[in-house]
Amino acid sequence: MATLLYRLGRTAFRRRWLVVVLWAVILGAVGLGAAKAPASSDDNTSFMPGIEAQKAFDLIGERFPGASADGAAARIVFIAPDGQKVTSVANRAAVEKLVAEAADGPQVAGVVDPFTAKSVSKDGSTAYTTVDFKVAAGDLSDTDRAQLQSAVDEARDSRLTVEVGGSALAEQPAAGGSAEAIGIALAAVVLLITFGSLAAAGLPLLTAVIGVGVSMAAITALGSALGLSMTTGTLATMLGLAVGIDYALFVVSRYREERAHGREAGEAAGLAVGTAGSAVVFAGLTVVIALAGLSVVGVPMLTKMGLCAAGAVAVAVLIALTLVPALLGMWPNAVLSRGHRKRGRTDRSVDNGGSRWARFVLRRPAAVLTACVIGLGVMALPAAHLEMGMPGAESKPVSSTERRAYDALAEGFGAGFNGPLTVVADLKGAHDPAAAAADMVQRIKETEGVVSVSAPRFDTARDTALFSAVPKTGPSDQRTKDLVQSIRGERADLERRTGATFEVTGSTAMNIDVAQALQDALVPYLAVIVVLALVLLLVVFRSLLVPVKAAFGFLLSVLAALGAVVAVFQWGWGAGLVGVEQPSPIMSLMPIFLVGIVFGLAMDYEVFLVSRMRESYVHGDRAPQAVVSGFRHSARVVVAAAVIMIAVFSGFIGADEAMIKTIGFGLAIAVLLDAFVVRMALVPAVLALLGDKAWWLPGWLERLLPRVDVEGSALVAVSPSPPSPATDGQPVRQEAARR
């Protein structure tokens, strides 16, 4: 592989104008496609096939075709002034006027008069009405929104307090605001400090932005056809920008190193792509596999997010291997340090902060290893208390009308009123459908924890009934989760007695089922990608113990990151610092998505850092010296890459979308821990304790494994220039002699 990439780098350097034009054409083509593509309409009608709540949801759509189960809704809450009741003449008139005006909307399916439906609290202080729409919230017209908002504003002028919940008038969350700009600005500062050259700092930024532009334009162009959401695009941007900068950074850094040792520009570009590019390929491959592997979880939304982000990472790899050497060909000396441009060839083999830190760890590896394991273990403890769910209006800030509507309904009607359970009864097997439905209603009404059950509503064929049950507790309460299981536990007995069956759905039941399914999938998925890491790193490093060490470090960093997420977002420790006003369960999709991304990023740093150690070891260094050499050449760049990733991910903590905010925080913490604790401290400590055993591989396995040459040994024979800096004039050591 190293030889192939070496030739690719030299070719891109020589044919630089052709490469640049090709990428410009690609960017223009996908940009044109994005401009002409219809607006995306995210389709989440089948959120997670296979779970009971989804099956019931699908059954409602099949048996009640006019019910618009996925249609937008606005729940409008009316609160009378102190000492008054909403049933007074003036207040009632204001409510009925709003109901009449809201019903005139062309996309409105129906509005219920709260006085006719008896949707008034016992003390008469609160009432509510629900406005149902024929289309999903994303497809609502501006006219309908404006008309409903105008009616709400008029009702507020009548001295009533009017709050609006539901999806119809909910503010669409900003994906990250200026997150990308903040991340790029911080990355520019880090790159400038690292390289001391505007050109060297600007090139990784330029190529990363081009890569993100290609990826985002492609996602926009395909958005309508594939149902890709704003969240999908934001995550692809987040990862594409972070890895795009990092991958270009490693190639440019290796190019500067080769030039510092006397290589001519074209040869240095070829060697940079052949060595650092090999690490980029395998690092990118781990990220792509981890993200694409999310499709096996069975959540369409998660699959879309993973595949789009994987595509963005693949584009970043291609750009690092082709466009970066092409741009180096246009400005071969501009990316060099000022000292190199003035003095020519320089010697970069002297000690630096990286080698000094490595020697510090090598002197006391047991103490460093113990401190790392204990520290990360303590941080991981909150992860044992992880609660997964889909936080709703209760997690919004109290300044929002959605949260105030939620609180008003809970106060006037009970906490469970905000999360009613929808029960759909399949009566096709019943001898007397009406009696079977009545029996179900009565049985569920008698279940402990149920406050009330509505009268059943039948479809036109009268073989399906629909009714709702209001729990005593709120949607996120553990007692509500237990109640759902209790109701479902009644099913077998009812089916024996009546011949009919039922399923429980609604937003509360859907969230409970999704959270449980994803929690069940988390450990198997974690096991799969750990095994994947072992196999992939076994091929890359041709060692048994290095992959085990890498997987162990990944587990520590991902569990510690999950612990930090639980402590901040679920327990509320320091939540105000990241803009979280109300602690709540962790979004169900977040942990499994975080595991996949952190796996890929952890393997990034593992490949970049340890491949340089292996390169030094294969070219003659003893095991301890190989660790020092790897840190001398790579530590500064790995640190810069990690700081850039942390900066990019931290920018997304300011997003309004809870999913993006949580993932941004989780990834920033995970990269911080993985890069600075695991890779910079735990890795050299373990390698110091293992010594030569770290690179041992049985002979029979050596013969079975494919040889990928990530350390670039074959380039010693191919390159006509002076020896690469990793050799330091020493002969290449045959791996067979190691054994």
Side-chain angles (χ1 to χ4, degrees):
M1 173 177 284
T3 304
L4 176 64
L5 293 178
Y6 164 81
R7 291 169 180 162
L8 177 63
R10 285 186 61 88
T11 301
F13 186 92
R14 290 197 309 269
R15 305 290 180 88
R16 43 192 171 271
W17 282 109
L18 176 61
V19 173
V20 170
V21 168
L22 284 175
W23 276 109
V25 169
I26 292 172
L27 180 60
V30 294
L32 182 63
K36 293 186 173 296
S40 174
S41 177
D42 195 15
D43 179 14
N44 286 323
T45 57
S46 183
F47 182 78
M48 192 170 187
I51 60 176
E52 178 174 327
Q54 183 65 56
K55 292 177 181 177
F57 186 86
D58 296 339
L59 182 62
I60 293 172
E62 176 188 339
R63 304 283 180 88
F64 294 86
S68 296
D70 60 335
R75 179 171 282 185
I76 305 173
V77 185
F78 307 94
I79 306 154
D82 290 341
Q84 297 185 25
K85 295 185 177 183
V86 291
T87 53
S88 68
V89 175
N91 291 336
R92 180 167 183 153
V95 172
E96 290 176 339
K97 183 180 179 183
L98 182 148
V99 170
E101 291 180 0
D104 286 340
Q107 292 180 309
V108 173
V111 187
V112 179
D113 186 316
F115 305 106
T116 303
K118 299 181 180 180
S119 303
V120 181
S121 63
K122 290 181 180 180
D123 62 3
S125 65
T126 309
Y128 74 92
T129 184
T130 302
V131 183
D132 292 313
F133 291 86
K134 302 173 183 176
V135 296
D139 297 327
L140 271 181
S141 67
D142 292 338
T143 302
D144 270 286
R145 293 180 190 273
Q147 182 172 333
L148 182 57
Q149 186 63 59
S150 175
V152 169
D153 292 339
E154 280 190 42
R156 285 171 175 161
D157 292 339
S158 68
R159 296 184 61 198
L160 282 171
T161 298
V162 184
E163 306 295 352
V164 185
S167 59
L169 293 185
E171 293 183 6
Q172 297 300 316
S178 57
E180 294 91 339
I182 294 172
I184 291 175
L186 292 174
V189 173
V190 174
L191 287 169
L192 189 58
I193 294 173
T194 301
F195 285 138
S197 164
L198 285 174
L203 192 149
L205 291 174
L206 173 63
T207 55
V209 169
I210 292 173
V212 169
V214 171
S215 302
M216 289 305 300
I219 289 172
T220 303
L222 298 172
S224 178
L226 302 180
L228 306 180
S229 66
M230 174 195 67
T231 302
T232 301
T234 303
L235 292 170
T237 300
M238 183 192 302
L239 287 175
L241 187 61
V243 302
I245 294 173
D246 278 6
Y247 294 166
L249 167 64
F250 278 95
V251 174
V252 172
S253 177
R254 188 60 184 255
Y255 172 82
R256 282 162 52 103
E257 185 180 319
E258 297 295 343
R259 291 294 306 275
H261 284 82
R263 305 276 186 181
E264 58 90 15
E267 185 66 18
L271 287 171
V273 176
T275 52
S278 296
V280 165
V281 168
F282 278 96
L285 182 61
T286 59
V287 183
V288 168
I289 292 175
L291 292 171
L294 291 168
S295 58
V296 305
V297 176
V299 182
M301 177 184 174
L302 197 61
T303 298
K304 294 173 187 177
M305 293 162 68
L307 292 178
C308 287
V313 172
V315 170
V317 171
L318 292 174
I319 282 183
L321 299 179
T322 57
L323 185 58
V324 169
L327 294 178
L328 288 173
M330 292 183 170
W331 300 284
N333 296 323
V335 299
L336 304 179
S337 65
R338 182 177 302 176
H340 188 186
R341 291 197 298 270
K342 286 182 178 180
R343 297 188 298 271
R345 175 172 173 165
T346 58
D347 183 8
R348 300 295 298 271
S349 63
V350 297
D351 273 358
N352 56 25
S355 58
R356 287 192 292 271
W357 168 253
R359 289 195 178 94
F360 170 82
V361 176
L362 291 176
R363 286 195 297 270
R364 47 188 65 80
V368 172
L369 177 61
T370 302
C372 291
V373 172
I374 292 176
L376 293 174
V378 170
M379 286 193 66
L381 289 177
H385 303 279
L386 173 67
E387 294 180 14
M388 294 165 61
M390 296 293 283
E394 75 278 8
S395 65
K396 292 182 179 294
V398 292
S399 58
S400 67
T401 186
E402 295 100 319
R403 172 64 185 276
R404 293 195 297 269
Y406 179 95
D407 291 342
L409 286 171
E411 184 177 349
F413 298 90
F417 196 80
N418 283 295
L421 306 174
T422 300
V423 182
V424 54
D426 188 346
L427 307 172
K428 284 189 173 181
H431 299 296
D432 186 345
D439 195 2
M440 286 184 186
V441 169
Q442 185 61 34
R443 186 68 172 270
I444 292 174
K445 185 183 295 185
E446 294 172 355
T447 304
E448 185 179 355
V450 174
V451 174
S452 62
V453 180
S454 67
R457 178 165 63 95
F458 293 88
D459 65 341
T460 53
R462 297 192 66 81
D463 60 7
T464 309
L466 196 63
F467 54 94
S468 62
V470 177
K472 185 182 297 183
T473 50
S476 300
D477 197 298
Q478 179 61 43
R479 289 170 292 181
T480 304
K481 300 176 184 178
D482 296 338
L483 174 61
V484 170
Q485 301 308 321
S486 296
I487 292 175
R488 288 171 173 169
E490 306 280 356
R491 181 163 42 213
D493 183 54
L494 280 169
E495 188 170 5
R496 283 194 302 269
R497 288 167 44 192
T498 65
T501 188
F502 68 87
E503 290 174 326
V504 182
T505 187
S507 60
T508 300
M510 181 72 78
N511 293 342
I512 292 171
D513 288 354
V514 168
Q516 187 60 52
L518 290 175
Q519 191 164 337
D520 293 342
L522 182 59
V523 173
Y525 178 69
L526 188 60
V528 167
I529 62 175
V530 167
V531 172
L532 173 65
L534 293 173
V535 173
L536 191 61
L537 294 180
L538 182 65
V539 173
V540 173
F541 295 124
R542 310 185 76 76
S543 161
L544 283 179
L545 297 179
V546 168
V548 173
K549 175 264 305 170
F552 175 68
F554 158 68
L555 284 174
L556 283 177
S557 58
V558 75
L559 291 176
L562 276 176
V565 169
V566 169
V568 173
F569 289 86
Q570 183 176 309
W571 292 354
W573 294 3
L577 299 177
V578 295
V580 177
E581 296 190 24
Q582 181 66 39
S584 60
I586 306 303
M587 296 193 71
S588 301
L589 294 174
M590 187 271 170
I592 200 164
F593 198 77
L594 180 68
V595 166
I597 298 175
V598 173
F599 164 74
L601 300 182
M603 294 306 104
D604 267 9
Y605 297 123
E606 180 73 16
V607 171
F608 286 135
L609 187 62
V610 180
S611 65
R612 199 58 190 267
M613 297 178 190
R614 176 171 172 77
E615 182 178 342
S616 297
Y617 185 76
V618 169
H619 286 87
D621 282 348
R622 295 181 59 81
Q625 183 56 35
V627 174
V628 175
S629 180
F631 267 78
R632 181 173 67 245
H633 292 296
S634 300
R636 187 175 69 147
V637 182
V638 168
V639 167
V643 172
I644 289 170
M645 275 202 178
I646 293 169
V648 172
F649 294 146
S650 296
F652 288 86
I653 297 175
D656 294 329
E657 173 63 45
M659 179 75 168
I660 299 301
K661 179 189 288 287
T662 311
I663 288 183
F665 175 84
L667 289 179
I669 292 295
V671 171
L672 175 68
L673 297 175
D674 192 81
F676 291 99
V677 179
V678 174
R679 307 305 154 191
M680 287 291 163
L682 187 145
V683 165
V686 172
L687 291 178
L689 292 172
L690 292 176
D692 287 330
K693 297 184 182 68
W695 308 107
W696 174 78
L697 186 69
W700 64 269
L701 189 55
E702 163 74 19
R703 292 187 293 272
L704 288 177
L705 291 178
R707 186 175 297 277
V708 296
D709 191 24
V710 72
E711 67 275 0
S713 297
L715 298 182
V716 175
V718 174
S719 174
S721 300
S724 66
T727 66
D728 292 330
Q730 300 179 51
V732 177
R733 181 183 304 186
Q734 296 297 325
E735 289 193 61
R738 292 284 189 192
R739 299 185 297 276

